[in-house]
Amino acid sequence: MGLRANPTYRQRRFGAEVRRLRESAGLSVGESAAVMGMRQSHISNVESGRTGLSPERLRALAGAGGDVDTTYVDALVELGQASGKGWWTEYRDRVRPSLLDVAELEAGARMLSCYEPMFVPGLLQTPGYATAIHRAGYVRTSRQQDDLAVEFRLKRQQVLGGERAPRLHAIVHEAALRATLGCPDLMRDQLLRLIEMSRLPNVTLQVMPFDGPVPFGTSFTLIEPEVWELSTVVVGHVEKSLYLGDRSDLGRYGDSFAKMCEVALPPVDATVSPEAHGVKDSLGLIQRLLYPLL
C-alpha cells in the first residue's frame, strides 16, 4: 500500500499519538523501530499520518513505555484501525476536507461542548439560517458550493438523534441571537428551533448575556470521544479552523468552557412555564427576543 498523500485529521492524530507514546517512553526513532521490528523510515511515515500501524506493533511500543493506561491504548488501536467511512464519505472531493474531519469526529463523540459568540451553533441551525450565513460569508463562493455546504451542515445534525447520540452542551452569546440577518422571520424560526432542540434529552443550551463577563474571543468546540486523551478542540477561524489535541490545550479549553457554564444564564428548560421563571435564565431571554418577531 502506498503512502497517503493527504492524510485525514484522524490519521494525523493517530500519528501524533504514536509519536507521543514513543517520546514518553524515552525512545528515539531508531530504538522504537527496533522495538516494533520496523525500518526507521516507516516510523516517520506513521508519525506523520502517511501510513498506519498494526495493533501488535502499537501495543509493543506502548509496552516499552512501562505503565500505560490500557483503556487509552485500546482506544488508540481502534482509532488507527478505523475505516474513516461514514455518511460523509459520499461528500469526498465535494466539500472541504476539514468539514469531513469534523463530521467524523462528531460521529465518534460522546460529548460536544460548543461556544459561539457570533452565530448559532451549526448543529442547531435551521436551513434558512444556515443558508443566510453561507451566502453572507467572507469567502466568495458559488451558489452551488453554498447549497452543498448547507446540505452537509444539515446532514451533520442527524448525529444528535442517532442511537449513540453524543451530548451537546452549547453556550451561545446573546449577540448571536439578536442578529436578524436582514429577515426577522428567519430569526424567529431559528429561536423557535433552539427551544425545540433544547427539549432533546442530550442537548443543553445556555445563553451568555450582554451584562455578563467579557466574552471569550472566538468560537470553539471541544469534541470528546470515550477516552478524554483523544479529544480535539476545533477553534473556529474565518479561513481555516485550528485542530488542537495536546493535553495542555484540552485542559485549557475545557477549563474555559467550565467557567463559562458557571457565568452563563441557567440552561433552557422548555418544560417550565414562563410564569414559573423566578430568575433570569436562558429560556426567558430567548422568549424576550422572540416576542417582537411573532
Side-chain angles (χ1 to χ4, degrees):
M1 182 181 296
L3 298 177
R4 302 165 184 141
N6 298 297
T8 65
Y9 171 77
R10 176 184 55 80
Q11 292 163 343
R12 297 194 304 272
R13 179 61 183 276
F14 176 77
E17 292 296 319
V18 170
R19 181 174 63 250
R20 193 192 70 81
L21 271 179
R22 174 179 63 78
E23 292 175 347
S24 64
L27 300 176
S28 66
V29 172
E31 291 168 338
S32 64
V35 167
M36 293 185 284
M38 301 166 61
R39 298 189 303 274
Q40 292 189 38
S41 59
H42 194 167
I43 298 293
S44 298
N45 287 324
V46 169
E47 293 184 357
S48 65
R50 301 185 68 196
T51 191
L53 188 66
S54 71
E56 295 76 20
R57 283 172 165 162
L58 178 58
R59 294 187 188 281
L61 177 62
D67 186 19
V68 179
D69 185 354
T70 56
T71 301
Y72 163 75
V73 174
D74 290 343
L76 188 55
V77 167
E78 184 176 346
L79 184 70
Q81 295 299 300
S83 67
K85 295 181 179 179
W87 65 263
W88 55 88
T89 306
E90 65 181 278
Y91 289 89
R92 283 181 178 165
D93 302 322
R94 300 171 63 201
V95 302
R96 298 195 311 274
S98 60
L99 297 179
L100 303 175
D101 290 334
V102 168
E104 186 175 3
L105 286 170
E106 290 172 343
R110 68 170 183 84
M111 181 71 192
L112 304 168
S113 302
C114 170
Y115 170 67
E116 281 286 354
M118 295 301 296
F119 302 104
V120 170
L123 292 179
L124 302 177
Q125 292 178 5
T126 63
Y129 185 95
T131 299
I133 291 296
H134 276 86
R135 291 181 180 171
Y138 294 98
V139 180
R140 186 180 297 276
T141 54
S142 68
R143 179 63 62 89
Q144 183 179 13
Q145 289 174 311
D146 288 340
D147 291 344
L148 186 60
V150 170
E151 176 186 323
F152 189 85
R153 175 164 295 183
L154 298 179
K155 196 76 176 284
R156 280 175 49 209
Q157 295 177 358
Q158 296 179 10
V159 72
L160 295 178
E163 293 182 2
R164 298 179 58 189
R167 291 175 53 211
L168 170 65
H169 190 156
I171 299 178
V172 186
H173 198 274
E174 182 178 347
L177 305 183
R178 287 186 175 273
T180 62
L181 303 180
C183 180
D185 288 347
L186 183 154
M187 202 62 202
R188 177 199 62 201
D189 292 343
Q190 180 59 74
L191 293 176
L192 289 172
R193 169 65 67 85
L194 290 177
I195 296 174
E196 175 189 350
M197 293 299 292
S198 71
R199 292 191 173 98
L200 293 177
N202 57 317
V203 174
T204 300
L205 174 65
Q206 290 182 264
V207 177
M208 184 73 73
F210 277 130
D211 57 5
V214 176
F216 197 86
T218 187
S219 65
F220 68 87
T221 301
L222 174 56
I223 305 176
E224 300 180 52
E226 292 297 328
V227 174
W228 179 84
E229 290 83 354
L230 296 179
S231 300
T232 298
V233 178
V234 181
V235 183
H237 192 275
V238 172
E239 295 185 1
K240 186 177 182 180
S241 296
L242 300 177
Y243 290 72
L244 308 175
D246 289 345
R247 305 296 190 272
S248 59
D249 292 323
L250 299 179
R252 181 159 51 90
Y253 279 90
D255 290 344
S256 294
F257 190 82
K259 292 176 182 176
M260 284 192 285
C261 289
E262 295 177 357
V263 297
L265 297 177
V268 172
D269 183 354
T271 65
V272 178
S273 60
E275 61 272 14
H277 294 278
V279 296
K280 184 177 180 181
D281 61 12
S282 296
L283 179 58
L285 192 150
I286 292 175
Q287 289 174 328
R288 190 166 66 250
L289 296 176
L290 181 61
Y291 290 151
L293 303 176
L294 294 176

